[in-house]
Amino acid sequence: MLISESRVERLVVHRVGNPARSEPLQLSSKAIGVDEEVSALILDGYLKGIVSDKKKYQFFHESDLNLNELYHFSRQFFRGEMDLLTVSQRIAKHLYARSQHPNIAAGDLLVILFSGLGDGDSPQRALGIFKAEIQEDFLTIVESGEVFDVSHASGINPRLIDKGALLLENGPLVYAVDRQGHEAKFWLDDFLQAMRVPDTGTSSKVVAEVMEQISEEIEDPQAQVRFKDEVMTLCKTEPEVSPRQMGSMAERYVAPEQVNRLFDSAAESYGFALQGDAPLPAQGMARRLEKSWSKVGVGHGVSLLLPSDLSLQNVRSVKGDNGELTLTLHLLKKED
């Protein structure tokens, strides 16, 4: 997303409280323009601070995407069915209704219309939604003749986004950030209803973690070794692998329900669902798995740390009468 030619067209400011604490919703009655200095601060702070692949999400709804309020409001606005003031008021009312959690602070809500964002062949518009929950203190220097005085002011720091979202004109993609998300995850889950759009690096990490977990659920040490060898061979011989390929391989060693459970759990933990046929770089996954799989379980709660050029072929265990345990290992040097 290119933002070098972006402009601030107009904006609206509302004040959104927490209804659980009987704090009001104060709606502005006018959209305003801004001067060049304020526009530059907004572009360099709010817009530049939110456009990042790591902050890319996608609107969703369990039954119909058009039932997602923010997505629906933005489509109406971009189709010209409502003006900026009206859509900003609906967004503020929706946010107020979702602000019931006791940890949600009151704040100023800025709804900003941007234009000139580059994405593809033609520039597009976007609606920026930013909630400022923290007022910062500043010192200002006042000059009067030959006397300099210091005074105090408080305000919003546009380079420090508390909560933000950028709704694009083309499609259901949205950039989002929530600096206080650890306190109440309502911004992404309840207000926006958005899930992360994974990049290949994050998806590869998730699949590798699931493969690690699956190997730990294989009780037979020899079967565990075969599973690891098959996965590593695939990752080292193919330039790309898909989550579906890895899942099908795992189902030969553990029940399909276990595989699905682990993939679903990972998706919930990371906040996005893996695309089954998405091509992922195999070499990076191989390096991660090779490092973690150098530790091999041989049963009885015993694990070995094997070099990458050796694989475990067989384990024989004998328990003595006095409680001692003898393990006989058959190791094989891997071919280059």
Side-chain angles (χ1 to χ4, degrees):
M1 175 68 67
L2 300 176
I3 61 174
S4 57
E5 302 298 323
S6 302
R7 299 179 301 278
V8 175
E9 297 293 340
R10 297 179 72 75
L11 64 83
V12 186
V13 182
H14 305 293
R15 185 154 293 164
V16 181
N18 187 326
R21 295 196 293 264
S22 300
E23 295 170 349
L25 168 64
Q26 298 172 264
L27 296 176
S28 175
S29 60
K30 184 180 180 181
I32 60 173
V34 295
D35 60 30
E36 291 185 4
E37 291 182 350
V38 173
S39 177
L41 283 173
I42 291 173
L43 292 171
D44 189 57
Y46 282 148
L47 185 59
K48 188 175 180 180
I50 200 170
V51 177
S52 165
D53 285 343
K54 294 182 179 179
K55 298 169 184 173
K56 189 180 289 186
Y57 292 77
Q58 182 169 328
F59 287 120
F60 78 94
H61 192 273
E62 292 80 0
S63 57
D64 183 350
L65 185 58
N66 289 307
L67 296 178
N68 180 302
E69 286 90 343
L70 265 295
Y71 177 73
H72 180 61
F73 295 157
S74 66
R75 292 311 95 193
Q76 288 182 306
F77 171 75
F78 289 126
R79 288 195 301 263
E81 297 171 8
M82 66 173 76
D83 59 18
L84 179 62
L85 177 62
T86 303
V87 73
S88 74
Q89 290 175 340
R90 293 192 181 184
I91 290 170
K93 291 175 182 177
H94 175 60
L95 177 60
Y96 187 67
R98 296 296 185 273
S99 299
Q100 301 277 352
H101 192 282
N103 289 343
I104 297 175
D108 294 317
L109 181 71
L110 286 78
V111 180
I112 307 169
L113 175 60
F114 296 101
S115 64
L117 281 75
D119 186 20
D121 297 331
S122 59
Q124 63 173 310
R125 296 174 295 167
L127 279 176
I129 304 171
F130 301 94
K131 186 186 178 192
E133 297 177 339
I134 299 174
Q135 292 281 323
E136 302 235 337
D137 293 326
F138 302 94
L139 293 177
T140 60
I141 307 300
V142 181
E143 180 181 359
S144 177
E146 297 181 354
V147 177
F148 293 90
D149 197 3
V150 177
S151 66
H152 163 268
S154 63
I156 299 170
N157 184 353
R159 292 185 176 86
L160 195 61
I161 302 174
D162 294 326
K163 290 176 171 61
L166 188 71
L167 287 57
L168 304 180
E169 181 175 10
N170 299 333
L173 287 178
V174 55
Y175 293 93
V177 61
D178 183 2
R179 195 161 59 93
Q180 269 80 39
H182 60 280
E183 296 180 5
K185 296 183 179 180
F186 86 104
W187 184 259
L188 289 169
D189 296 346
D190 299 331
F191 174 61
L192 293 174
Q193 283 189 278
M195 294 182 67
R196 276 189 65 185
V197 175
D199 54 25
T200 56
T202 307
S203 296
S204 297
K205 180 181 178 182
V206 173
V207 174
E209 286 184 4
V210 172
M211 293 299 104
E212 292 169 359
Q213 293 168 359
I214 288 172
S215 71
E216 294 173 1
E217 298 200 5
I218 301 174
E219 296 180 1
D220 181 2
Q222 295 178 54
Q224 186 186 83
V225 169
R226 289 196 301 272
F227 169 71
K228 292 180 178 180
D229 285 345
E230 283 190 35
V231 171
M232 292 302 298
T233 298
L234 178 65
C235 290
K236 288 184 175 182
T237 55
E238 298 292 334
E240 295 176 334
V241 294
S242 70
R244 196 182 309 281
Q245 276 180 289
M246 305 297 270
S248 297
M249 184 179 295
E251 288 177 2
R252 297 202 295 269
Y253 293 87
V254 297
E257 310 85 70
Q258 288 176 274
V259 177
N260 292 333
R261 173 178 57 79
L262 291 172
F263 270 108
D264 289 345
S265 177
E268 182 177 350
S269 176
Y270 279 84
F272 62 81
L274 290 165
Q275 300 298 317
D277 295 321
L280 304 176
Q283 296 300 316
M285 200 177 303
R287 286 192 295 270
R288 177 186 174 91
L289 290 173
E290 193 168 48
K291 182 177 180 180
S292 66
W293 280 350
S294 59
K295 183 180 179 181
V296 178
V298 294
H300 306 283
V302 179
S303 297
L304 297 177
L305 195 62
L306 293 180
S308 59
D309 61 341
L310 289 179
S311 65
L312 178 67
Q313 299 298 302
N314 191 17
V315 179
R316 187 166 63 88
S317 61
V318 177
K319 285 187 177 181
D321 295 335
N322 59 356
E324 69 178 18
L325 177 66
T326 301
L327 296 175
T328 304
L329 311 178
H330 178 204
L331 303 175
L332 180 66
K333 188 174 180 61
K334 298 178 182 177
E335 296 182 3
D336 294 330

